[in-house]
Every structure is written in structure tokens, then in C-alpha cells.
Amino acid sequence: MTYFFHTHVHSEFSCLDGMADISRMAEKVASLKQPALALTDHGNMSGAFQLYKACKENDILPFIGLEAYVVLDRSDKKAKRNHLSLISFTTEGYKNLTKLSTLSHERDHYHYKPLLDINDLVEASAQGNLKGIACLTGCYFGLVSQAVVHGDTKKAERIIKILQEAFEKVFVEVQNHKADHGDGWNDDKLVHELFTMANWLGLPTIASQDSHYCDKEEKDLHNMMRMIAYSADEKDLAYPGNSYHLSSSSWLKQQFNPEVWQASEESCKWLLDNHSLELEPLNKYKYFIPAITKNPMKQLTALCNAKLNSNYRIGKDGEKIVYQERLADELSVIEQTGMANYFMLVNDYVGWCQEQNILVMARGSAAGSLVCYLLGITQVDPLEWNLMFERFLTIDRTRPPDIDLDIEDVRRDDVVNYLKGRYEITQIGTYNRLSFDEETGRGGLFVQYMSAKRKILGDKFARTLGRVQNLHDLDVVNPNDARRLRLLGDMPLRRSAGAHAAGFVISAPPLHNLKDWIPKMLIPSSDTMVTQMMMDDVEDAGFVKIDLLGLRSLTTLRRCLEMVGKTGTEWIPLHDEKTFKFLQRGYTDTGVFQMEGWTAARGCKEVAVNSVKDLILVNALYRPATINSGYVSKFLKNRQNPDGVTYPSEIFKKHLKETFGVPCFQEQVLEIMRDLGMPVVELNAFLKAVKGKHAVAGYSEDANEVFERNKEKFKQLCKNDGMSSKQITSAWKLVEGFAAYGFNRSHATAYSILGYQLAYLKINYPLEFHSALLETTVGSHKEKQYEKETRRMGIKILSADVNVSGMSWSIDRKNNAIRRGLSSIKGVGKNCAEVIVEHAPYSSIEDMIKRCPARNVTGGKNWDKDKVLTGVMKQLRDNGALESLGIKR
């Protein structure tokens, strides 16, 4: 039996360096009969949870680690950065490594890399924060190896002694890739020197393999990936030697002499014998939510009943009973799933937004919940719009449903800061992929391949690849590169870390502290700390995701309402003929949410929208997938001849008649399945399985199993309904086909109503709407487009004026026009505009130059001498902003 396992391994999370899928790595080493697998990605622990789960599935032990970037003294800005491998072998060690990894991202960075120094390790050790962590001295670029290579054995010994005092266990790491490093050093010599030193100091030795991909044959692919990433010749980027893969124990054993290998086996055995790493949040899923109230279910019920009784919009008693029944059903499901605290959490920050006059609205399936509507989380009455609660939440749900919240973009940070003041939250991290498009051969990898080749080949590029337009062309010119690109397209290649656009994870101390389980990393480009693990991994550990997306259209809506002198949108009629005639024109309705694209404009014209329901249809149907699949053509054809539409059964007719036999919404499919007799708890899982998901989010079953089971169940239910074999086949094709393309009716409804409200304001309050539109897009790429649209609508735009204009666009009621704001002028920044507005009005150009600080409003110092304006003053003059002071353009 061999005790050896790989202790120096890079996955896809070593960006542009590692390229191995963690699940595949675990499967491979298990097939090689190795007892464990460690993960040591560059400067992060992003793959920790994936490693833990993959190892558990393959019945091997996980060792979660990282390859840290370390300097002797980080105050020395010229200090050379080296590597140090750290591996946790106990649960306490994992938590300590999590804190250490987060600390490395809080330090000053060298070239955007996380950093630790020796003092950080000494201090952490003194506080007991290195227990359960084993230290491996690193690869060729490690602190110890580099000291040895540079002939400073004493320095190497001093470093090892410091590490020995800091860590519970230190291993002298040796690698042999048969590489020649120059200056008389090769791997054989370095292994000998390090092993001799280890014996001299009485330290254990561990043999490792610097693994960056799974199979030895993938070296060629690794070279190409690095060529694409760094735009340099593959020969210059290729790793020296030939063994940067996950090898078998017997193969690696041959690279070392027996004495070294025996010592390494003993070291691996020590790690295996002392392994007690258990990540309880991943062993058995359970979500954790901060305690909002002692009895969340009781309070949630009271809030909803109070809203229903005090703010009931429908006066008929019979209809009120229907609402009460729906509310009771929803609350029952919420209670059975134990999710009342989640709803109270969302109610907390939505309620704060309402108090602060911040417009918010939930999108997606949450619009199908009466509870969400009563709490003000959504603005859509689900009964009025025939929306399903089951699409949102059923009793078999194991994770909280997504309540994705749109917030005015200029107020999103305020909401985030409110949450940070009350809870422990962190933005979720993500990793950007090197993308690939097999169908066209274009996209991420191909485009970057061509760009890299252009830089590498220079003048030779035109002669070799100049005529290559896609991957199929490359098949002819360079079939080997085309082959490799296709293979790379199937691999998890990560380009860089980033921040999730809207996702935050919230912690529930003291039982479920974020800092104990989730390390953080810095995104230098935005100076944002985010979780090292991605969204699915974070949720797998029971942390609850909240989604906060800044939406400019909500900011535009609020500003327009303020100018109109209204609050809220309840006063806007939903059947305005003038608005629908405007939408029917078939133009792209610039500035109107969800209606700006040509596809939506085409839909409004072809459907001849005459109601919000028609708009909802357009939102759901006019999508690339549904257009290409023929559903739109079929819908338009059937609408012209509704009497000619046939249905597999009366149940199908009941739910598809409103859309002329064509299922437009996912909910229609679910309603059909429900009426056929499928249990409500299986509806969402069935829908997601049919859509081809590899995993059914929020549920415990595999998607393919759900699909196959329900396919047979569906056929039996249809048979029970009296349908013939031919009708059953037709019905299944209808359900299976559309479920892959279907749109969420709740989402389409919420967004369509917002789009209609903006369209109504654009047509009925054009001055206020376009002023708000321009104000909320100052400095963006949309500003010029919206300025052009404002003029097309017949609205006059006045030049900016230092005596009249504000910071941004504004209405000039006197002239029934919109006046340009000062910050809208190129070269006049926000701070400069604030200074000009603060000191206005001005009696003359001299008065303005005198009273506006020259450091902010530049370019006036030579006016008295030679009447010359430069800098900001010149920009103001050239844009007509000084004409009220007698200075022409």
C-alpha cells in the first residue's frame, strides 16, 4: 500500500495557470488508488468546498490549502515575492487558514497578488492561529529553495527555523520535474541539497509534483492556454520538464531515489493519520438566516393580515375571501419550509428602502407571491395578473427562493451600507472564464488566440493567418491549433477573479460565522473585498444569498415622478390608449425599460399591443430562442385563425387558449401538469429538469432522474385524462419543447408593468420624462442617444449656462424646454460643476474668475492680461455656457 498523495496541486482557480477541474482531479486520484488530495491554488482557497465535496464523493481525504505569496519583510518594497505551501489537516486548521488567506488580501499588494510576510506568520502563531496547518517549504520558487539556489544555505536554515517555530508541522518539499534551471542547478541537484538539509535539521521531507493539469498529454493544451493568455510564444512559456500533471504514485516514485521516496511516504502517512478536517456546513445542508425576530412566523402572518385588511384594493367580499385563501396557502408553505425568517429579513431592508423613499421592486418568480406583494417587496398583485406561487416556492424547497431585488442604481450603495450596519454581509466573488463558441468558432478563445498570434507573428501574421475568419478556416491552415482550441473550449479556464454583479452573502452568527468558513479576496480594480468561493459553493455551505441589483430605470422613474409632483405609481392608468398607440409604431422606444431593442419594437408592432397583457406576451415571446424555434410565427398564425387551433385535451385548451395554443410562459406548462394530477411539490423540479439543468438548484435530486421519472408519469397522467397515444406524443413534444424556451410569467409581468409606466410617462409627460432620462445618464454612453431622442420628440434643448444651469439636466419651465447641466459638458467634472453652481450667479466673466477657485475652475488666469480662456473656462465658452456673461461661443 502506498501512502503517497499529491500535496501541491493547482486547479482552474489558479487563473491562467491551472486548468484542471476539481471533480475530475478527485476522480482521477481515486482511480489511481491514492488516499487523498490536497489543493494549493495561487493565493486563494476558492476551490476548497468543491475539493471537499469531490473527495467525499470519491471516498478520499481532502486537504484544503493554498500556495501563499510570501516575502521576508513586506515593508521592504524591493523584497522578492516567493511561494509557500500551506495545508490544513484539521477543522481548526481550515478556519485558521481561512483567516490567514483573508489577511493576505488585506495587505498591500505587489502586482495585485495577495501577500504575507514572515512577521504575519509569527504573529498568527503567537495568537494560536496556525494550529492545524502544515507548512511545505514550496516549489523551486519557494523561500527555502531560492535561498539554496542562490548559495545562501544559512539563510535557508534560518527561514526553516522560523517556520518550524510558527507551524505545528513543517515539511521540506522536494520536486523533480527533470528541469534545468541554469547556473548549474537542476532538479536532481536541488532535491539532493534540500533532502540533505532536511536530514541535518531533523525535518521530514515530502515529495510533491507541481500539478497544473490532469493528464500528461495535456501539456500541449496548457502551453496554448498560456500563449493565449500572455500573447507570447509557447516555447518561451512552456514549463521546464515534462511532469506537471497528476501522476500515479508508481510513476512519480521513479523520479526520486528510494531514500527520498521512503521519507515522503512517511510524511504523507503523518498527514493521513492526523487528518480530522470536517466542514460541517457541507456535510449536511442547512441554511442559516440571522434572527430577525423571536417568532418570525407569527410576525409575518400578522404583517400580511394587517396589510390585507387595511389596504385591500378589491371591495367585493367574495373576492376578498379568495385573497384570504391564497394568503393562508402561501403562509402554510412558508411555515412548513421554515422560511418565515427569510421573508422577515427581506422585509427588513425593503421596509428601510420604503422609509428612505428608495424605489425597489423584486423581479423573477417572487412576483407570484401574495406575501411579497403585501410586504411591498413586489408591486404586482399576483391574483390580478394570474401568477403562480408554486413557481416561487413549494414545500419541498430546501433552500430559500431567490428574491432578486432591483434598486435605484444611485441608492444601491445606501442599501448595502444599511445591511452592513445590521448584519455580516460580503459581496460574492466570481471567476471570469475564457469563453468559447463552438458553432461560430468565434468568441473568447478564438478571438484571443488570433490576437495573441498577431502580436507574436508580427509581419508574418498576414501571410500565415491573415485570411482565417473562424475555427473552420483554422482547420485548414493549422489543424493542430484548431484541435487544441476545441479541447480547451471544454475545459474550465479561468481568466480572472471578479465581483458578482448583484449577489451578497449574509451570515448568521454566532452559529454560522462568515469569517470562519469563507475566506475573502480583494478585487484590485474596484478595491472590493468579496468571497473567494463562488455563489453556488457559498450557498452549499448554508449561507443565504441576497440579490441587490442597481437599476437605472427605477432612478429615472423616481426623478420623473418627483418632477410630475406625484408619489408612487398607483395613479398611472394601465389602459392608456395614447401609450399603446405609441408602442404599436414598431420603433425602438428609446429610454423605455425593456422596449429599447429592435426585437421588442418588432414585437409591439406585430402583436399590435393594446394592453399590458399584450406587453407581457411580447416580453416573454420575443426572445432569440423562441423566435428561432418558430413559436412566435406559430403564435401570430394561430392568432389570425383561433378557430383552427387544436389542443391535445381540454386541460391544455384551458391553459393555452389565451395564447392561441402556444405556451408562452413556464407557468402555463406547470398549470397543465398540475391539472393533469402532478403533485405541486414536483412542479418546479420538473420544469428545471426539462430545461436540461445538470443540477436542480434548491432541490436534492439529479435533474436527469427527475426528467425521466416525470416523463413516464406525464404519459400516464395524460392516459388517465383520456388522451390517445397520438395526443400524448403531441402533448409531450409541446411541454418538453417549450419548457426549454419558456419565460417566467411573473418576471415578464413585473418588468412589463415597469416598462409600461415609463412609456406612459414618456408620452404624457415628455418634458419631465426626458429631463429625468438625461439626468440619470449623465456621462454614460447613453447620454448622446437620449439627447437625440429628446430632440426627435420635439423637445427643445437649451445650452448650459453658468448662471442658470444646475449640476445636471433640468427643466426650464419658462421656455418649456430642457436645459443642459454643467457636468454634462466634456471636460467639466462633477467637482468643478459643484463649485460653479455653489458660487453662482455671476455678474461678469471677471466676477466668475475671481470667485471660483482656480484649482477647480481652471483656465481664467490669463483673461485680464490677454483675454484668453483655457482649461475648464474654454470648455464652458465653447459650449455656450458663458453667453449670459457676454462671452460668445
Side-chain angles (χ1 to χ4, degrees):
M1 173 185 177
T2 178
Y3 295 108
F4 170 82
F5 66 94
H6 287 280
T7 54
H8 193 122
V9 179
H10 296 278
S11 75
E12 61 191 274
F13 295 109
S14 289
C15 293
L16 302 180
D17 192 15
M19 55 187 292
D21 175 78
I22 293 172
S23 295
R24 185 179 162 209
M25 289 194 298
E27 290 172 3
K28 177 172 183 178
V29 299
S31 70
L32 294 172
K33 307 301 182 183
Q34 293 172 8
L37 177 65
L39 184 62
T40 55
D41 280 314
H42 289 307
N44 73 75
M45 300 166 63
S46 300
F49 289 174
Q50 292 185 27
L51 176 80
Y52 185 84
K53 290 182 291 184
C55 286
K56 291 288 186 179
E57 289 171 4
N58 288 279
D59 198 27
I60 59 177
L61 294 179
F63 286 85
I64 296 170
L66 61 85
E67 187 171 27
Y69 296 101
V70 181
V71 294
L72 292 177
D73 183 0
R74 61 188 174 85
S75 66
D76 178 5
K77 297 305 180 183
K78 295 183 180 180
K80 187 177 180 181
R81 185 181 67 236
N82 294 115
H83 298 173
L84 192 69
S85 296
L86 307 176
I87 297 175
S88 60
F89 56 90
T90 69
T91 304
E92 182 184 14
Y94 171 82
K95 292 182 178 181
N96 286 333
L97 190 59
T98 293
K99 295 171 186 174
L100 196 62
S101 181
T102 298
L103 176 66
S104 72
H105 283 268
E106 294 172 339
R107 297 302 196 197
D108 293 337
H109 280 41
Y110 288 177
H111 304 292
Y112 304 121
K113 301 294 185 183
L115 191 69
L116 293 169
D117 72 1
I118 292 296
N119 288 328
D120 289 326
L121 301 178
V122 171
E123 290 176 11
S125 178
Q127 297 166 4
N129 292 334
L130 292 185
K131 291 180 180 178
I133 301 175
C135 173
L136 283 63
T137 56
C139 60
Y140 173 77
F141 296 103
L143 281 169
V144 174
S145 295
Q146 284 297 296
V148 171
V149 167
H150 287 88
D152 197 340
T153 305
K154 294 296 183 182
K155 179 181 177 180
E157 291 179 359
R158 288 197 305 271
I159 293 171
I160 288 178
K161 184 175 181 181
I162 294 172
L163 296 176
Q164 203 173 359
E165 291 175 354
F167 288 96
E168 190 171 339
K169 194 73 173 179
V170 175
F171 298 94
V172 175
E173 183 176 1
V174 294
Q175 296 181 352
N176 196 346
H177 296 284
K178 303 302 180 183
D180 187 345
H181 303 290
D183 295 328
W185 283 96
N186 58 34
D187 279 348
D188 285 325
K189 181 178 179 181
L190 183 57
V191 169
H192 174 75
E193 292 295 328
L194 289 172
F195 184 60
T196 301
M197 179 184 294
N199 289 337
W200 170 256
L201 297 174
L203 284 175
T205 299
I206 194 163
S208 73
Q209 188 176 16
D210 196 353
S211 169
H212 290 259
Y213 39 88
C214 273
D215 298 328
K216 190 174 182 179
E217 295 74 22
E218 291 172 345
K219 177 180 180 179
D220 202 27
L221 300 180
H222 188 256
N223 292 343
M224 172 174 263
M225 180 199 62
R226 286 173 56 79
M227 180 273 289
I228 292 172
Y230 298 108
S231 297
D233 194 287
E234 290 184 42
K235 294 178 181 178
D236 298 329
L237 293 170
Y239 285 179
N242 63 351
S243 54
Y244 294 87
H245 61 288
L246 280 177
S247 69
S248 66
S249 305
S250 58
W251 187 92
L252 191 62
K253 181 180 180 180
Q254 297 173 22
Q255 315 308 311
F256 298 94
N257 67 49
E259 194 177 2
V260 172
W261 187 254
Q262 178 61 36
S264 180
E265 286 270 23
E266 292 172 4
S267 296
C268 289
K269 184 177 185 302
W270 187 94
L271 286 169
L272 294 170
D273 289 344
N274 287 275
H275 182 280
S276 61
L277 174 60
E278 291 291 334
L279 303 187
E280 193 58 37
L282 292 175
N283 289 342
K284 185 176 182 182
Y285 175 77
K286 179 182 180 182
Y287 63 87
F288 294 84
I289 301 173
I292 307 300
T293 178
K294 289 183 178 180
N295 194 330
M297 193 65 223
K298 181 178 180 180
Q299 189 168 347
L300 178 65
T301 302
L303 281 173
C304 291
N305 282 322
K307 289 288 182 70
L308 185 62
N309 292 325
S310 65
N311 195 30
Y312 194 76
R313 299 196 312 164
I314 302 173
K316 298 178 182 178
D317 290 340
E319 291 180 349
K320 185 170 183 178
I321 291 173
V322 172
Y323 276 73
Q324 290 171 331
E325 291 175 348
R326 171 68 171 261
L327 177 59
D329 289 343
E330 290 192 18
L331 289 172
S332 174
V333 172
I334 292 171
E335 184 172 25
Q336 290 179 70
T337 54
M339 293 183 184
N341 211 31
Y342 174 63
F343 283 84
M344 293 304 298
L345 169 66
V346 179
N347 177 68
D348 172 56
Y349 56 85
V350 168
W352 182 83
C353 289
Q354 293 165 343
E355 292 173 1
Q356 302 299 315
N357 194 30
I358 301 173
L359 285 185
V360 296
M361 61 173 285
R363 62 188 182 278
S365 58
S369 167
L370 179 60
V371 168
C372 288
Y373 176 61
L374 293 173
L375 295 177
I377 295 170
T378 65
Q379 284 68 52
V380 177
D381 182 339
L383 275 75
E384 180 181 351
W385 295 97
N386 191 30
L387 306 179
M388 289 181 70
F389 179 70
E390 293 86 352
R391 178 66 182 82
F392 176 58
L393 181 63
T394 51
I395 59 173
D396 62 324
R397 183 88 187 185
T398 58
R399 298 185 182 183
D402 288 332
I403 299 182
D404 299 333
L405 210 65
D406 289 332
I407 305 166
E408 293 179 53
D409 60 343
V410 296
R411 302 298 304 276
R412 178 177 177 268
D413 287 347
D414 295 337
V415 181
V416 172
N417 288 334
Y418 168 77
L419 285 164
K420 286 181 176 179
R422 285 179 60 82
Y423 312 104
E424 183 187 5
I425 72 163
T426 301
Q427 193 163 358
I428 296 175
T430 187
Y431 277 85
N432 305 307
R433 284 185 177 273
L434 284 172
S435 58
F436 183 78
D437 187 341
E438 171 64 45
E439 183 177 346
T440 64
R442 300 192 68 84
L445 281 180
F446 178 78
V447 171
Q448 291 177 66
Y449 164 84
M450 293 295 285
S451 175
K453 283 294 187 180
R454 180 178 280 106
K455 292 177 183 178
I456 296 166
L457 296 172
D459 294 338
K460 296 180 181 179
F461 177 80
R463 297 194 299 273
T464 57
L465 293 172
R467 295 185 179 181
V468 172
Q469 297 297 315
N470 52 48
L471 195 60
H472 306 297
D473 292 344
L474 190 63
D475 279 323
V476 177
V477 177
N478 192 329
N480 184 49
D481 277 10
R483 175 190 64 82
R484 290 193 292 167
L485 275 177
R486 286 193 173 92
L487 291 172
L488 285 175
D490 294 329
M491 290 186 164
L493 310 181
R494 301 288 180 180
R495 184 175 67 248
S496 60
H500 190 284
F504 290 79
V505 60
I506 193 162
S507 183
L511 297 176
H512 207 49
N513 284 314
L514 198 61
K515 63 184 179 182
D516 286 341
W517 303 106
I518 311 287
K520 300 177 186 178
M521 62 181 171
L522 178 71
I523 307 302
S525 59
S526 60
D527 197 30
T528 304
M529 291 291 285
V530 301
T531 63
Q532 288 185 23
M533 285 77 163
M534 295 193 295
M535 182 175 68
D536 289 345
D537 297 322
V538 168
E539 289 190 287
D540 281 349
F543 291 97
V544 173
K545 176 180 75 77
I546 58 177
D547 198 288
L548 309 171
L549 184 67
L551 189 63
R552 179 185 53 79
S553 291
L554 285 178
T555 308
T556 302
L557 177 61
R558 180 183 58 79
R559 283 296 295 129
C560 186
L561 291 172
E562 288 174 351
M563 294 177 194
V564 172
K566 302 282 189 178
T567 57
T569 57
E570 292 81 4
W571 61 277
I572 296 178
L574 292 181
H575 305 284
D576 183 61
E577 185 176 345
K578 189 177 178 181
T579 301
F580 290 121
K581 283 185 178 180
F582 164 72
L583 292 169
Q584 289 169 11
R585 301 167 311 153
Y587 300 141
T588 55
D589 297 316
T590 308
V592 177
F593 183 65
Q594 295 284 294
M595 300 295 159
E596 284 195 311
W598 70 268
T599 304
R602 167 190 164 188
C604 287
K605 183 177 182 179
E606 291 181 348
V607 173
V609 293
N610 199 36
S611 66
V612 173
K613 284 189 176 181
D614 287 342
L615 267 185
I616 297 169
L617 275 172
V618 170
N619 241 320
L621 267 181
Y622 282 80
R623 307 271 167 179
T626 42
I627 292 173
N628 295 336
S629 65
Y631 279 101
V632 171
S633 299
K634 185 176 181 180
F635 170 83
L636 295 173
K637 180 181 178 181
N638 288 359
R639 192 181 62 162
Q640 293 294 322
N641 182 28
D643 293 336
V645 179
T646 58
Y647 302 90
S649 75
E650 285 299 313
I651 289 177
F652 277 76
K653 183 176 181 179
K654 172 186 175 183
H655 295 294
L656 298 182
K657 186 176 181 179
E658 64 168 331
T659 53
F660 308 103
V662 177
C664 297
F665 308 106
Q666 296 167 357
E667 285 85 346
Q668 288 175 294
V669 174
L670 298 184
E671 287 165 341
I672 289 169
M673 302 301 291
R674 181 179 59 189
D675 284 4
L676 282 171
M678 177 174 283
V680 170
V681 296
E682 297 183 20
L683 294 177
N684 271 335
F686 170 75
L687 176 64
K688 293 187 178 184
V690 172
K691 289 174 71 177
K693 301 281 187 181
H694 293 297
V696 186
Y699 300 86
S700 57
E701 293 184 86
D702 177 76
N704 294 323
E705 294 176 3
V706 175
F707 178 82
E708 291 301 327
R709 184 180 71 248
N710 284 286
K711 180 180 179 180
E712 296 307 314
K713 182 178 289 188
F714 171 83
K715 291 181 177 181
Q716 185 59 49
L717 291 173
C718 288
K719 188 175 181 180
N720 295 344
D721 191 47
M723 295 167 62
S724 65
S725 297
K726 184 177 180 180
Q727 287 174 320
I728 292 172
T729 300
S730 173
W732 176 249
K733 286 182 178 179
L734 190 68
V735 169
E736 181 187 21
F738 187 75
Y741 302 113
F743 204 70
N744 184 325
R745 189 205 294 260
S746 297
H747 182 71
T749 301
Y751 269 11
S752 295
I753 290 175
L754 175 60
Y756 169 82
Q757 290 168 343
L758 289 165
Y760 174 86
L761 292 169
K762 176 171 181 170
I763 296 307
N764 292 278
Y765 298 89
L767 201 62
E768 291 82 357
F769 176 83
H770 287 90
S771 178
L773 188 64
L774 288 166
E775 179 187 332
T776 53
T777 52
V778 169
S780 77
H781 68 284
K782 290 279 191 180
E783 186 178 15
K784 289 294 181 184
Q785 177 189 354
Y786 292 156
E787 186 178 345
K788 182 179 179 180
E789 172 70 1
T790 301
R791 288 194 173 96
R792 192 193 67 78
M793 291 288 290
I795 299 171
K796 187 178 180 181
I797 293 180
L798 302 177
S799 299
D801 189 307
V802 294
N803 278 330
V804 180
S805 292
M807 283 281 298
S808 190
W809 297 83
S810 59
I811 296 176
D812 188 319
R813 297 286 183 186
K814 181 179 178 181
N815 295 292
N816 197 36
I818 296 175
R819 186 173 291 279
R820 185 185 297 277
L822 293 172
S823 61
S824 159
I825 299 174
K826 185 178 181 180
V828 180
K830 180 181 177 182
N831 293 336
C832 179
E834 284 179 345
V835 170
I836 296 172
V837 172
E838 179 186 351
H839 291 84
Y842 309 100
S843 59
S844 64
I845 184 68
E846 291 81 7
D847 180 41
M848 181 178 176
I849 293 171
K850 180 181 178 181
R851 292 198 287 122
C852 288
R855 66 179 181 275
N856 300 111
V857 187
T858 62
K861 65 179 181 179
N862 293 324
W863 176 256
D864 288 338
K865 181 180 177 182
D866 51 21
K867 304 302 180 187
V868 171
L869 296 176
T870 59
V872 170
M873 294 298 291
K874 181 179 183 295
Q875 293 298 321
L876 292 170
R877 181 199 66 194
D878 292 349
N879 284 273
L882 300 178
E883 290 192 358
S884 64
L885 304 181
I887 307 298
K888 300 299 182 182
R889 290 178 186 265

